[in-house]
Every structure is written in structure tokens, then in C-alpha cells.
Amino acid sequence: MKKSFEELEYDDEIFIDLSFDEQTLSNISFDYCSFKNCSFNKTVFENCSFSESTFDSCDLSLVNVATSLLNDVKFIDSKVIGVNYSSIGLPFEVSFENTDISMSSFYMLDLRHTKFIKSKLHDVDFVKTNLQKANFKESDLLGSSFSNTNLSNADLSTAYNYMIDPNKNKLKGTKVSLPEASSFLRYFEMKILN
């Protein structure tokens, strides 16, 4: 099992069953790489870059990526809990499938077209985030925060457990469906009778 990354650049590599919990990885570039069953719990990625790479069945909970780049990175069947992306460098392009990203922050980020597919997004900060055309297919948004968020043309049609104030967010063309869409009514002073 690999104990450290000796190179500063990795291209088209596959990493399986690695554990780098609570370590600092600095100035490493990963292009077209795949990580499978790896653990980076509480790892600090310092000035690292990930481009067109995939994390499959990995644990990246509480990682620090503030000084790194994530460009076209996919998280599949993984745990990426408690991550603050709000000060990450650009470009920043990610997607999540069947992944738990609860208690994370995307504050003020541009996440246009981002895919959150069948994922758990409990208590996620989407305040002032641009989520135009984002796809939340079958994702659980329990307790997530939306304020001054652009959800124009986003797909929430199969998402659930969201509470979004239509007076404080842009919702033009947003796709929603019942019964979840009825949550918007709670922000108006109305009495709904049976």
C-alpha cells in the first residue's frame, strides 16, 4: 500500500485502497486519475490540483481543499462531509452521485450545471450560490440553506426535503413537482384548507 506520493505529477493513474487520513499532501497534480476505496479523512490538500479525476467509494470527510483546484472531478458512492469549498480556487467543476456531502459549504460559488444525483445534502450552505441549471435528481436537501441563491432553470423535480423561500431566491424556470413544491407556500401568509 502506498504510504506517500513521491511524484508531483500523476497522469492517468489508478489508486486503490489508499489511506492518507489526517495528512498534508502538497503541490501534487492529478490528471485523469481514479481513486477507488481510498480514505482521505481530514486530509489537507495544499496547492494540489485534480483534473478530470474520479473518487469512487472514497471517504474525503473534513478535507481541506481551500488552496487546491478541482476541475471536472466526480465523486461517486463517497462521503465528502463537512467540506468548505467557499474559498477554493478556479476552475471549480464537480459532480456528485450517490454521495453524502452533508454539512458542506458552497457559499458564493458558481455551480452552474452541477449535478447532485441521488445524493445526501443535509445542512449544506448554498447561500449566494449560482445553481443555474443544476440537477438535484433524487437528492435529499434536508436543512440546506438557500438565500440570494440563483436556482433559475435548476431541476428540483425529484429532489425532496427542501425549504426554499421564493422571495429570497431566483427561481425562474426552476423545475419542481408536488408534493415538495407545496413547501414554497409556507413563505406566504396563506391558509391552506382541505
Side-chain angles (χ1 to χ4, degrees):
M1 181 188 296
K2 186 181 286 290
K3 299 293 183 189
S4 66
F5 290 102
E6 285 106 24
E7 306 295 325
L8 292 179
E9 292 185 11
Y10 293 91
D11 189 17
D12 201 22
E13 298 261 354
I14 298 173
F15 303 101
I16 300 173
D17 297 325
L18 300 183
S19 181
F20 283 94
D21 293 346
E22 300 185 40
Q23 295 189 35
T24 298
L25 303 176
S26 301
N27 304 306
I28 305 173
S29 175
F30 299 94
D31 295 319
Y32 305 98
C33 291
S34 295
F35 299 85
K36 176 83 173 171
N37 295 320
C38 296
S39 184
F40 295 98
N41 197 298
K42 297 183 182 177
T43 298
V44 176
F45 291 105
E46 186 177 79
N47 299 314
C48 293
S49 72
F50 296 86
S51 181
E52 299 191 49
S53 296
T54 302
F55 291 89
D56 187 350
S57 304
C58 295
D59 184 357
L60 294 104
S61 296
L62 300 171
V63 295
N64 184 333
V65 291
T67 60
S68 293
L69 302 175
L70 300 176
N71 183 30
D72 194 12
V73 175
K74 296 176 175 64
F75 299 94
I76 302 167
D77 297 321
S78 295
K79 283 174 46 176
V80 196
I81 299 169
V83 179
N84 184 356
Y85 299 97
S86 59
S87 59
I88 197 166
L90 296 176
F92 178 66
E93 184 181 338
V94 292
S95 66
F96 304 92
E97 183 176 337
N98 199 36
T99 291
D100 188 348
I101 59 172
S102 297
M103 296 177 282
S104 295
S105 177
F106 295 97
Y107 177 74
M108 289 188 70
L109 286 176
D110 188 344
L111 297 177
R112 282 178 281 191
H113 302 280
T114 299
K115 293 179 181 176
F116 303 91
I117 309 298
K118 297 183 180 177
S119 293
K120 183 177 178 182
L121 289 75
H122 288 193
D123 302 303
V124 174
D125 180 0
F126 288 116
V127 174
K128 296 185 178 178
T129 304
N130 186 350
L131 290 165
Q132 287 183 72
K133 297 185 179 180
N135 188 343
F136 292 92
K137 181 181 178 181
E138 296 179 41
S139 287
D140 184 354
L141 292 157
L142 183 69
S144 288
S145 304
F146 298 89
S147 181
N148 294 313
T149 304
N150 188 347
L151 287 154
S152 299
N153 298 301
D155 189 347
L156 291 164
S157 61
T158 57
Y160 53 99
N161 288 330
Y162 55 81
M163 299 299 284
I164 301 171
D165 187 341
N167 298 309
K168 295 181 180 177
N169 297 281
K170 292 182 184 175
L171 296 168
K172 185 175 181 181
T174 304
K175 296 176 186 76
V176 296
S177 59
L178 293 171
E180 296 298 326
S182 62
S183 67
F184 294 117
L185 296 175
R186 77 183 323 240
Y187 295 98
F188 299 105
E189 294 181 11
M190 301 170 62
K191 291 183 179 178
I192 302 172
L193 305 173
N194 288 338

